[in-house]
Structures are given as structure tokens and as C-alpha cells.
């Protein structure tokens, strides 16, 4: 306590006290039960009342006189408690999940990934796993390769492409490449949500089948073939298709017979091509086997088998005289059956794609030299205007540019590859600018970008892969500790890319702004759209119930239904008796309108290639594991495991 003389000299002096009912300090007229506070609010003079001036200019001196320790301790407890409570609230706000104001209702992406993968289980052909997740599926296609074909080969397995019972090698290979890429990048995310083993099982189911589609020539003079679908000679390079569309005839086939695959009784011919007519298919299968070899790198023998087959196939396809190379759909014997479903517009992008992935699988720079050499320039020149900036089963250049840019970012090999890698980086930066600005794309009224605006285009498939590439690229930039990138006079930030990938909200530093009612790509697919319809079956409260799909639309009750019975199920207005969980249907039209009708496949038919894009987008947008140091969820070094400088 201060002396009486000092208390008299120092003015003004106030006394305060506290009682529990008040919960605050109260004025007091005496020192009794009080805390004495002195407030010197003005600079103190060095004369008269203070002989020692303050150390601080314009300071405020506080003298505290404590007359009752009990109340002072209570005061301290209350003050400390209030401070700790404020700090706790601040920390809680910092660590709670943040909702982006542009995102709209949040979606359960873990559930979405779980369900999207189940769709591939529903598409499995062959001996169906006894513990399979889809209870309305069983063994099917057990005579594939031997029934209705001049070839006797084991072609059991693989995936039915969509709502029909045909098996196409080209989209199957693309699907396996894309799914493998997501595992290489985001395997920690898959592991965190308990889906790593599941997706690896799906990938292996596909690669086991793709390995069957290629039998190398017995000697240097032997002819080689690629199976596509039907009628191969004995010397096989690869299968293109198993099954037939019937080509407009009334003969029972996979298209005109509405029948479960378990009940199929009609012939299933097999198409094949020699290597000179299937350069695109060869390149895509090389990419699939190469990417999968990195997924199964811990299974050494299997990984080596995938790489060995990929190298043999790539050697056959890439060393052909360019005049002998071509697309698999150009010749009737090779791709006539596939022409109306997966008509390839070129083969150079697949050869570049296959060479790039084979380089990552082997570390052999000769494959990178091939993929970044003259063929890279030719592939760019031959890209169709409709496909520029798209990534889907028919165009790989955009995705390949992302791979080469990744290589430049994290493992730059320098000469002689820097030209192609720099050009790829420029291409991707321009694409990302066009994504976030919206200048190069039209949009639906609901805000979904129309990357390929002609009627009948699968807009959800393109939206999913665009979402995947933009989020993946933003993760690369974040891993590099970059805030964004530029493209000419424009620029984009990481947040802008993620906004595009999830919300398409207005962007201030670009001339063009997107509409305020724009929806996020993935949330649009999952229900935030004008129809209020989730286009992934089984997700949300409202989703398509009349999916164009044979297995889903016919009851699974142990009864064998003949082909003649199928029409009643196809034409039925009732919902499907089986829910095709995880299937992303083709989606709405350009007016955001959707018809939930089984006989309207342009709206209601799913496919394995489009679902692969959905899985890629969902896992890319999923939150990274809390233990992941970079905060992106990507494995920076996984793609470079076999590269030695």
C-alpha cells in the first residue's frame, strides 16, 4: 500500500469495489473493501508533485492500492477466465471447417467417392466377386472370346461400358489411366477415407482384362492385332470390342436386346485390329498399363508385368511408319462396331499420352524424347477445334500438358525437353485463365460451363474432368508455394482456380465475370442445379430413378428373362427395381432440363469413362488428410519414383 502522504498528493483518486451479484467493478466512497486506482491521464510535470519525471513521454501512470485480497483474487480469476474464454472461441473459429460463401450447401464428398466407386462394381463382367458390393449382379460373359467368334481366347472380365452389355477396350483403357492417375496423386486421401484398396481392386480388374487383349507376335515376321470387339484372326494385337450393336439388323445383340448380362444367350463376336490400324488404342492401353504399374509398385511382379507389356505394345505402335498408323475406327473390320459409340478423331494424342506415361513408369528418357518431339507438335496441330481444352476419352493433349507441366515444376530434366514442357505450361495457364474468366465458353442458365456446346454433348463428363484438372493444378501451385500464375495480360490465383473447380463465382481481377447464380461443378452434379436433381444415382434426396441400364431396370429375383421379355422393362414407367448407386448419368441439356426416362439415354445413361472423371473430381476436391504436411493431399514424388537424373 502507498503512504498517506502520497495518497493525498496524487489526485484524482477513485475507489472501486465488487460484489458477486453485480459481476463488475462498482464505485466506492471509501477504502473499505475497495481497490484503489489512480489515473494520471495527462503527462506529469517534473515540478511540484513529482520530483522524478516519467520515463515515457505522454505516459499514463497507474497506481493500484489493494485493500482486500479476497476480492482482488476474485477479480483476477474472473479476468483470466474471460481472457481464456475469448482465446478458446478464437481458436475454435480458426479450426472449424470453413464454408465458402460461393459454394452453397456443402456436400459429403466422402460418401460421394464411396458411391461413385460402387458404380464400377456394378459394371464388372466375368466371375462376379462373392462379396461384391452390388447385390443385383452375378456371373456374366463367361464365354467371351469363345462364343460367336472365330477366335478361341480367354476374354472373360473387364467392364460393361454403360447401360448396354458391350465391352469397349478404348474407353476401358482411358478409365484405367485416369483412375490410376488419381491414385498416384491422391492415394493418401483414398487411404484416409478407407477407399484405397477398393479403387486398386477396380484398377486391377481393368488391367487384368487389358492384358488379355494383347498377344505379342510370335516372331518379327508375324502379323499383330489389337482386340476391339469382334472377329479377329488368330494372331492378335488387341481386342477392340466384345459384343455387337447389331448394325441395324433385327438379330439379337447387345443393343437391340434389353437383357441382363447374366441372361445373355446371343452371340458375342469379337472385333480386332492390326497395329497399323489401331495406333490410338495402342497408345491408350500403354498409358493405362504404365499408370497402373505405379499404382501397384509395391506388388513388384505384377508391376513389372504391366510395364513389360506396355513397352512391347508401345514399341510396335510407335515404330510403325507414319503412313501405316491410324485410328482404330477407320476400318470396318477393326472398329465398325465402335464407330457409333467411340469414334476416335485422331491417334497422335494417344501416342504422346502413352509415351509420357511409359516414361514415368520406366524412367527411360527415350520415351519422353518421343512424347516431346515432333509427334508432340504434330498432335497439337491435329487437335480438332471442338476438342481444344477438353479432357475425355477422345482427347488427351490437355491432360498430357498437365503432366509435362508437373514434370517441369518438380523434376525439370532440362534439355531437350524444356521446349515441350514450357509450351505445355503456357497451354495450361491459358486454359486455367479461360476457366476462371469464362471468356471462351458459353454457360447454361444454371451456370454450368458448356465446353462443347453442340446438342447431345455429355456436359457433365466435361465438367467433371475440368474440375479435376483445375483443382489438381492449383494443388501443384500450392505445393510450390506459389499464389497463382499468369497468362498474357491476365492472371489467376490458387483461390480462383478452386473457386472455378467448386463454385464459378465472380472474379474481380479479370474483365469478364461469371453470373452470380453460378453453381459449383461438383455441387451442380450432386444436386445444386435448377432441377434440384442429383445426377449421381443414390446421392441426395432426389436422383434419377429410371436409369438407362439393363441390370438396374430388370428385377434380380433368380428368374431368367429372355430377350423378348426385355421391352416391357425398357418401356416401363416405373422406377428401376435396382438402384445403380454411384452412377453419374449423362445429365441435362443445354437448358438445364433433364428427362428421367429410361428410353432417353442422352439423359439417363451412365458410362465408365464419365464416372472416372467424376471420381477424379471428387477425390481432388476432398479435404486432404490432417497429417498431410503440404495441405494439398498430393504425393509430390510418387509420379517420379522411377526417374533417375
Amino acid at each position: 500500500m502507498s503512504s498517506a502522504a502520497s495518497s493525498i498528493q496524487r489526485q484524482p483518486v477513485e475507489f472501486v469495489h465488487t460484489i458477486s451479484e453485480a459481476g463488475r467493478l462498482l464505485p466506492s466512497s471509501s477504502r473499505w473493501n475497495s481497490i484503489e486506482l489512480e489515473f494520471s491521464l495527462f503527462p506529469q510535470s517534473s515540478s511540484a508533485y513529482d520530483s522524478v519525471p516519467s520515463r515515457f513521454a505522454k505516459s499514463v501512470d497507474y497506481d493500484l492500492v489493494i485493500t482486500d485480497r479476497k476480492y482482488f483474487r476474485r477479480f483476477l480469476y474472473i479476468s483470466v477466465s474471460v481472457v481464456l474464454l475469448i482465446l478458446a472461441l478464437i481458436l475454435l473459429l480458426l479450426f472449424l471447417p470453413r464454408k465458402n460463401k460461393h459454394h452453397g450447401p456443402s456436400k459429403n464428398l466422402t460418401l460421394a467417392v464411396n458411391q461413385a466407386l460402387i458404380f464400377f462394381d456394378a459394371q464388372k463382367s466375368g466371375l462376379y466377386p462373392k462379396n461384391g458390393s452390388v447385390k443385383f449382379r452375378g456371373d456374366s460373359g463367361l464365354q467371351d472370346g469363345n462364343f460367336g467368334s472365330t477366335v478361341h481366347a480367354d476374354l472373360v472380365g473387364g467392364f460393361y461400358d454403360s447401360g448396354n452389355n458391350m465391352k469397349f477396350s478404348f474407353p476401358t483403357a482411358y478409365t484405367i489411366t485416369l483412375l490410376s492417375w488419381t491414385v498416384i496423386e491422391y492415394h493418401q486421401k483414398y487411404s484416409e477415407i478407407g477407399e484405397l484398396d477398393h479403387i486398386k481392386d477396380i484398377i486391377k480388374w481393368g488391367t487384368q482384362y487389358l492384358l488379355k487383349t494383347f498377344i505379342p507376335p510370335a516372331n518379327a515376321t508375324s502379323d499383330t492385332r489389337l482386340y476391339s470387339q469382334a472377329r479377329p484372326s488368330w494372331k492378335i494385337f488387341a481386342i477392340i470390342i466384345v459384343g455387337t450393336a447389331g448394325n441395324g439388323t433385327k438379330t439379337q445383340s447387345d443393343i437391340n436386346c434389353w437383357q441382363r448380362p447374366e441372361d445373355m444367350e446371343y452371340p458375342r463376336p469379337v472385333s480386332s485390329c492390326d497395329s497399323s490400324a489401331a495406333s490410338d488404342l495402342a497408345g491408350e492401353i500403354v498409358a493405362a498399363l504404365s499408370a497402373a504399374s505405379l499404382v501397384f509398385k509395391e506388388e513388384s511382379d505384377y508391376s513389372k508385368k504391366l510395364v513389360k507389356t506396355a513397352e512391347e505394345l508401345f514399341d510396335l505402335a510407335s515404330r510403325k511408319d507414319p503412313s501405316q498408323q491410324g485410328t482404330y475406327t477407320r476400318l470396318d473390320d477393326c472398329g465398325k462396331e465402335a464407330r457409333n459409340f467411340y469414334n476416335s478423331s485422331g491417334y497422335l494424342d494417344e501416342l504422346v499420352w502413352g509415351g509420357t506415361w511409359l516414361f514415368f513408369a520406366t524412367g527411360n528418357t527415350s520415351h519422353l524424347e518421343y512424347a516431346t518431339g515432333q509427334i508432340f507438335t504434330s498432335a497439337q496441330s491435329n487437335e480438332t477445334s471442338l476438342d481444344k481444352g477438353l479432357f475425355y476419352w477422345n482427347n488427351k493433349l490437355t491432360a498430357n500438358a498437365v503432366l509435362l507441366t508437373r514434370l517441369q515444376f518438380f523434376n525439370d530434366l532440362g534439355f531437350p525437353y524444356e521446349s515441350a514442357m514450357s509450351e505445355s505450361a503456357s497451354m495450361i495457364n491459358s486454359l486455367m485463365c479461360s476457366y476462371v474468366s469464362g471468356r471462351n465458353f458459353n454457360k447454361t442458365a444454371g451456370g454450368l460451363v458448356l465446353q462443347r456446346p453442340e446438342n447431345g454433348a455429355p456436359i457433365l463428363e466435361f465438367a467433371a474432368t475440368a474440375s479435376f484438372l483445375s483443382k489438381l493444378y492449383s494443388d501443384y501451385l500450392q505445393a510450390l508455394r506459389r499464389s497463382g500464375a499468369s497468362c498474357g495480360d491476365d492472371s489467376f490465383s490458387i483461390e480462383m482456380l478452386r473457386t472455378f473447380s467448386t463454385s464459378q463465382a465472380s472474379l474481380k481481377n479479370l474483365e469478364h465475370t461469371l453470373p452470380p447464380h453460378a453453381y459449383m461443378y461438383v455441387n451442380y452434379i450432386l444436386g445444386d442445379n435448377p432441377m434440384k436433381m442429383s445426377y449421381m444415382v443414390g446421392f441426395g434426396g432426389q436422383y434419377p430413378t429410371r436409369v438407362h441400364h439393363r441390370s438396374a431396370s430388370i428385377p434380380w429375383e433368380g428368374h431368367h428373362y429372355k430377350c423378348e421379355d426385355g421391352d416391357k422393362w425398357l418401356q416401363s414407367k416405373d422406377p428401376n427395381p435396382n438402384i445403380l448407386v454411384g452412377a453419374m448419368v449423362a445429365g441435362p441439356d443445354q437448358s438445364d432440363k433433364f428427362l428421367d426416362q429410361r428410353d432417353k439415354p442422352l439423359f439417363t445413361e451412365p458410362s465408365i469413362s464419365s464416372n472416372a472423371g467424376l471420381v477424379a473430381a471428387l477425390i481432388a476436391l476432398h479435404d486432404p488428410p490432417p497429417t498431410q504436411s503440404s495441405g494439398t493431399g498430393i504425393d509430390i514424388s510418387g509420379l517420379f519414383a522411377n526417374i533417375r537424373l
Side-chain angles (χ1 to χ4, degrees), residues 177 181 284 287 349-357 396 399-400 403:
T177 308
W181 189 6
E284 190 58 70
D349 58 317
E350 277 81 24
L351 289 177
V352 168
W353 181 240
T356 300
W357 275 111
K396 320 302 171 4
N400 199 82
L403 286 177

Side-chain angles (χ1 to χ4, degrees), residues 43-213:
Q44 301 300 305
S45 169
S46 60
S47 60
Y49 303 107
D50 276 320
S51 59
V52 180
S54 171
R55 291 186 297 118
F56 306 102
K58 299 183 180 180
S59 65
V60 179
D61 293 337
Y62 298 89
D63 281 349
L64 179 65
V65 179
I66 302 172
T67 59
D68 191 304
R69 295 182 182 275
K70 173 184 176 182
Y71 288 102
F72 179 64
R73 284 197 296 270
R74 183 180 296 176
F75 167 71
L76 288 179
Y77 293 153
I78 293 173
S79 300
V80 171
S81 298
V82 170
V83 171
L84 291 176
L85 179 61
I86 292 172
L87 288 174
L89 289 173
I90 293 173
L91 291 173
L92 184 63
L93 290 173
L94 285 174
F95 288 101
L96 277 176
R98 298 184 180 182
K99 289 186 179 180
N100 190 311
K101 62 182 180 180
H102 300 302
H103 288 189
S106 61
K107 301 297 180 185
N108 186 341
L109 294 186
T110 298
L111 176 62
V113 173
N114 299 153
Q115 293 185 338
L117 291 176
I118 289 175
F119 169 72
F120 293 96
D121 295 332
Q123 298 303 106
K124 287 180 177 178
S125 177
L127 287 167
Y128 198 77
K130 298 304 181 184
N131 60 345
S133 59
V134 181
K135 302 308 178 184
F136 59 87
R137 287 299 324 281
D139 298 344
S140 64
L142 300 184
Q143 296 299 316
D144 282 354
N146 290 301
F147 184 49
S149 172
T150 58
V151 168
H152 297 283
D154 175 17
L155 300 179
V156 176
F159 296 99
Y160 298 114
D161 176 67
S162 53
N164 57 55
N165 297 334
M166 299 176 73
K167 300 192 299 192
F168 295 92
S169 298
F170 193 49
T172 295
Y174 162 80
T175 295
I176 297 306
T177 308
L178 180 50
L179 292 180
S180 296
W181 189 6
T182 70
V183 174
I184 295 166
E185 300 282 16
Y186 295 116
H187 62 87
Q188 295 178 67
K189 289 187 181 184
Y190 281 117
S191 180
E192 180 76 12
I193 63 175
E195 289 291 345
L196 183 58
D197 289 340
H198 189 185
I199 192 169
K200 289 175 73 172
D201 170 74
I202 293 168
I203 293 170
K204 180 170 281 190
W205 193 276
T207 53
Q208 293 283 57
Y209 177 75
L210 291 175
L211 287 171
K212 294 179 180 181
T213 67

Side-chain angles (χ1 to χ4, degrees), residues 188-347:
Q188 295 178 67
K189 289 187 181 184
Y190 281 117
S191 180
E192 180 76 12
I193 63 175
E195 289 291 345
L196 183 58
D197 289 340
H198 189 185
I199 192 169
K200 289 175 73 172
D201 170 74
I202 293 168
I203 293 170
K204 180 170 281 190
W205 193 276
T207 53
Q208 293 283 57
Y209 177 75
L210 291 175
L211 287 171
K212 294 179 180 181
T213 67
F214 169 62
I215 299 176
N219 53 62
T221 60
S222 298
D223 194 10
T224 56
R225 287 189 169 270
L226 268 174
Y227 274 139
S228 163
Q229 177 195 350
R231 306 176 188 88
S233 67
W234 178 243
K235 299 166 187 175
I236 299 166
F237 185 70
I239 298 170
I240 312 300
I241 311 169
V242 175
T244 178
N247 297 319
T249 68
K250 294 184 179 181
T251 304
Q252 291 184 359
S253 69
D254 293 277
I255 295 300
N256 61 30
C257 184
W258 194 264
Q259 190 177 30
R260 298 176 52 83
E262 290 82 0
D263 295 339
M264 293 184 300
E265 296 176 329
Y266 47 80
R268 284 169 62 78
V270 179
S271 294
S272 69
C273 308
D274 63 31
S275 57
S276 64
S279 305
D280 45 1
L281 177 60
E284 190 58 70
I285 293 178
V286 168
L289 300 181
S290 299
S293 74
L294 293 170
V295 172
F296 298 107
K297 60 186 178 183
E298 294 179 357
E299 300 178 36
S300 178
D301 290 343
Y302 188 63
S303 180
K304 290 177 180 177
K305 180 179 181 180
L306 295 173
V307 171
K308 180 177 182 294
T309 304
E311 287 186 304
E312 290 175 343
L313 180 53
F314 188 71
D315 186 65
L316 289 169
S318 64
R319 295 185 185 280
K320 281 283 185 180
D321 187 306
S323 64
Q324 297 179 345
Q325 293 176 332
T327 61
Y328 81 102
T329 51
R330 66 175 178 158
L331 300 177
D332 286 352
D333 288 343
C334 175
K336 182 179 180 180
E337 294 286 353
R339 196 174 295 149
N340 293 329
F341 302 94
Y342 295 98
N343 189 31
S344 178
S345 61
Y347 63 89

